[in-house]
Amino acid sequence: MSNIGSYEEKLKDFKWEISEKELEYTKGNRINIGEYCSDRICRMGKGDKLALIWQSHTGEIKKYTFNRMRVLTNAIAEYLKSLGINSGDRVCLFMDKVPELYFGFLGILKMGGIAQPLFSAFGGESLYTRLADAETKAIITQKKHVGKVRKILADLPKLERIIVVDEEEEEKLREKELYFSMDNATPVEHFDIFPSTAETPSVLHYTSGTTGKPKGAQHVHYSLISQYITAKYVLDLKDDDIYWCTADPGWVTGTSYGIIGPWANGVTQCVLDSGFKADSWYKFIEDHKVTIWYSAPTAIRSLMKEGNEVVKQFNLSSLRHLCSVGEPLNAEAVIWSKEVFGLAFHDTFWQTETGSMMICNYPGMKIKPGSMGKPFPGITATVVDLKTYQPIERAGIVGLIAIKPGWPSMFRTYWKNEEVYKSKFRNDWYICGDRASIDEEGYFWFVGRDDDVINTAGHLVGPFEIESALLEHEAVAESAVVGKPDPVNMEVVKAFITLKPGFMGSKELELKIMNFIRKKLSPLAMPQEIEFVDSLPKTRSGKIMRRLLRAKEWGEEIGDTSTLENDD
Ligand code: WT7
C-alpha cells in the first residue's frame, strides 16, 4: 500500500495540518529545517540509521548516520557563528556533490543563515551576478573551485569569508580564505539551534527569466510542511527505502528532494558525485540497492539511447518507484521504463518558485503517458486564459498554468525584487509561466513555456544572461539566443550573432565564442551552435524578435509577424 493510498480519497480530506501534525508542529512555534532533518530523526530513535551513502567519481564511499550528520551539522553551524556570521546572512554553497555540500546546507539553516546553493559548474560571471545580488557574506567551496571566487573577489565587497573544505596546505590559502575540514571537525553534541519560526528565511535559489538578471527565489523554513508530505506521498518514501535523487543541490530539486524531503522523513539517501554514464548509474543502483529513484527526462532519454542490453547486465530488482522532473517527460520514456524496469517513471511538475511538487502522477493512480498528472492534494491548480487570466472551463484548451497562492513552500519574494515577484500574480493566481491544457479527466498536459527561457537538460537558462555575456566578446556586435530542439536535452542553446567590422564568421571563431561562454557562465549556457548573420530581426522599437528565430529552429509556422512586431 502506498503512503498516499487513494489519490481521490486524499483529495477529499487533505489539509496541510496533516503534515504539521505528523511533524508535531503547531502554529507560532519554532520550525528549523536543519533540526527536523537531523536532531528530530535522532530523537525518534533513528540516530544509528544511515542518513547518507556517498560515492565519489573514483568509487570512494563514505557513510554517515543520522547522529553523525547531527553532530557534524552542529559543528558547521558553530563554526559559521564563530566567524561572525549572523542569522539572515547569506552563505553560499559552491561545491560538487560532496558530503560537505549536504551538511553545510543544514549547518547554515541550523545557525539561522540563508543557504544560497550555486551549481559548481558555474563560471565566474554567473557566480559573480548571484553573489553580488544576494550580498553574500560567506562562501563554502572546494579548492578546485576557489580560483573562480578569487577572480571576482575584488568586486564583491560584502564577501567576508571563503571557507575551503579540502585545502590541507594552509599556506596555499589567500586573502579571506579559511580551511575547515568537516570530517576532522570536533563533533558538537549540543548546539543552540536558531529559533526560526515559519516565516524565517531559509534558502535562496537563483533562477533565470527572460529579461534582467537571474532572480533569487526566497524560501522560508515553513516550506518543510510541503516538502515533507510531498516526499512522503509522491516519492512514496518509507522507512526502509534507499532513495537516490540524481539532481545537484545547486538546483531546487537537489535541495527540496535531495536534502529536505527525504531526511525530514528519516530516509537513507545515496549520492553519486559524478557525471552521467549509463553503466555506472545502473551499477550504483545495484550496489546500493536503490529502491526509489528521482531523476530527469534528459537522463532517462540518455539511458534509452544506451539501449536495453546494458540494463540486463545489472540486477535492478531493488527499484520499486520512479519519478521524474524538470522537463516534459515524453510518453515514449514512460513506456520504455515500464518495459525495461517494469516500472513507469512518474512525472512531477513544479518550479524553483513553488518549492515543492505541484502537479504529479501518484503511486496507484492511472498514468497517462505524456501527462504531468494532477494537482497535489492541497494544491488548487488550473489553466487560465492567455490574456484575461480567467480560468478556462473547457477541456483541451491551452492556457497558462496557474496555482492558488498559499501553499506552505511558495516562494515569499524574489530577493530585493518585489516588483517582479508581484508581476507573477494575476487575479489571485500565481502564474507559472508555462502553457498547458487539462483533459476531461483533470489530467494536465504540458505544452511549452510562455516565455523565451530555455530549458536545457532540465535546467533553465535565461537568454538575456547569455546575450549580455556574448556582447563582451570582442567580435560580437549583436546577439540573440534561443532554444533549438535536441533529442536528448530537449533544447540546447543556439546563438545568432552579427559581427563587428573586421571580423569574419568561421568555425574557429565559433569555437572561441562557445568556449568564452562556457568559462564565463557554464557548460549549460554555452551555445551548441552559432549562426553568424548579417542582421537580426527586430521590432519597430528595436527589440530583437527571439520568437521568430525560435520558430524557425522548431520548424513552426511564424504566422502573423505584425503581432510579433508589436510585442514589445
Ligand atoms: C520549469 C521550472 C522544479 C524542478 C526543476 C526545475 C519546467 C519542470 C516539468 C515537467 C514539463 C517541466 C517548466 C517549469 N518543468 N518540471 N514535469 N514537465 N516541464 O525547476 O529550474 O525552476 O524550472 O521547468 O517550464 O516552469 P526550475
Side-chain angles (χ1 to χ4, degrees), residues 206-208 251-254 257 294 297 324-329 347-356 359 372 401 430 432-434 446-451 453 455 458-460 490:
Y206 275 77
T207 181
S208 299
W251 312 100
V252 72
T253 308
Y257 298 102
Y294 195 21
S324 165
V325 66
E327 321 145 59
L329 181 64
D347 192 16
T348 67
F349 167 89
W350 56 292
Q351 303 180 302
T352 304
E353 286 86 346
T354 69
S356 69
I359 299 168
M372 308 193 293
I401 302 177
Y430 164 68
C432 291
D434 290 297
F446 187 81
V447 173
R449 286 199 57 98
D450 188 50
D451 56 20
V453 173
N455 187 335
H459 300 108
L460 301 189
M490 187 169 94

Side-chain angles (χ1 to χ4, degrees), residues 24 50 169 176 179 281 302 357 390-391 401 513 517 555:
E24 298 165 289
L50 284 180
E169 297 170 65
K176 297 186 179 181
Y179 169 49
W281 274 35
S302 305
M357 298 163 175
Q390 292 300 326
I401 302 177
I513 296 175
I517 297 299

Side-chain angles (χ1 to χ4, degrees), residues 32 67-68 120 125 156 165 188 251 318 329 357 385 546:
N32 185 293
N67 193 51
R68 181 97 181 122
S120 63
E125 183 115 0
L156 293 167
V165 298
V188 173
W251 312 100
S318 55
L329 181 64
M357 298 163 175
D385 183 83
R546 283 198 204 102

Side-chain angles (χ1 to χ4, degrees), residues 381-418:
T382 189
V383 294
V384 297
D385 183 83
L386 300 171
K387 289 204 170 72
T388 65
Y389 300 103
Q390 292 300 326
I392 297 172
E393 307 293 344
R394 267 181 45 221
I397 308 283
V398 174
L400 297 168
I401 302 177
I403 302 165
K404 256 286 123 85
W407 69 95
S409 66
M410 189 176 94
F411 71 135
R412 297 304 198 257
T413 190
Y414 286 121
W415 185 256
K416 294 200 178 141
N417 207 340
E418 188 69 10

Side-chain angles (χ1 to χ4, degrees), residues 66-194:
F66 275 98
N67 193 51
R68 181 97 181 122
M69 177 160 88
R70 181 182 68 83
V71 294
L72 290 182
T73 53
N74 279 350
I76 295 168
E78 198 168 276
Y79 176 69
L80 293 174
K81 258 180 103 167
S82 77
L83 297 179
I85 294 161
N86 300 312
S87 60
D89 285 343
R90 277 73 62 209
V91 182
C92 173
L93 296 148
F94 189 56
M95 281 175 274
D96 294 352
K97 292 190 272 181
V98 290
E100 288 84 350
L101 169 57
Y102 294 79
F103 294 2
F105 181 84
L106 296 179
I108 294 166
L109 298 181
K110 279 187 164 183
M111 54 76 58
I114 302 178
Q116 183 194 8
L118 293 178
F119 187 40
S120 63
F122 275 156
E125 183 115 0
S126 295
L127 185 62
Y128 170 77
T129 313
R130 290 156 178 83
L131 294 178
D133 187 65
E135 297 181 301
T136 308
K137 192 162 177 180
I139 181 166
I140 311 179
T141 190
Q142 294 168 280
K143 60 182 171 193
K144 67 194 276 199
H145 298 303
V146 76
K148 292 188 248 181
V149 185
R150 283 175 186 163
K151 282 205 187 111
I152 54 176
L153 184 60
D155 297 322
L156 293 167
K158 298 286 164 75
L159 190 65
E160 291 176 13
R161 306 282 189 182
I162 301 159
I163 301 153
V164 189
V165 298
D166 55 356
E167 184 49 275
E168 283 153 43
E169 297 170 65
E170 303 213 10
E171 63 279 6
K172 290 207 173 148
L173 296 173
R174 300 213 202 144
E175 193 196 346
K176 297 186 179 181
E177 292 173 10
L178 298 155
Y179 169 49
F180 177 81
S181 159
M182 181 181 87
D183 285 328
N184 298 323
T186 311
V188 173
E189 209 32 62
H190 182 79
F191 174 78
D192 268 335
I193 291 174
F194 182 76

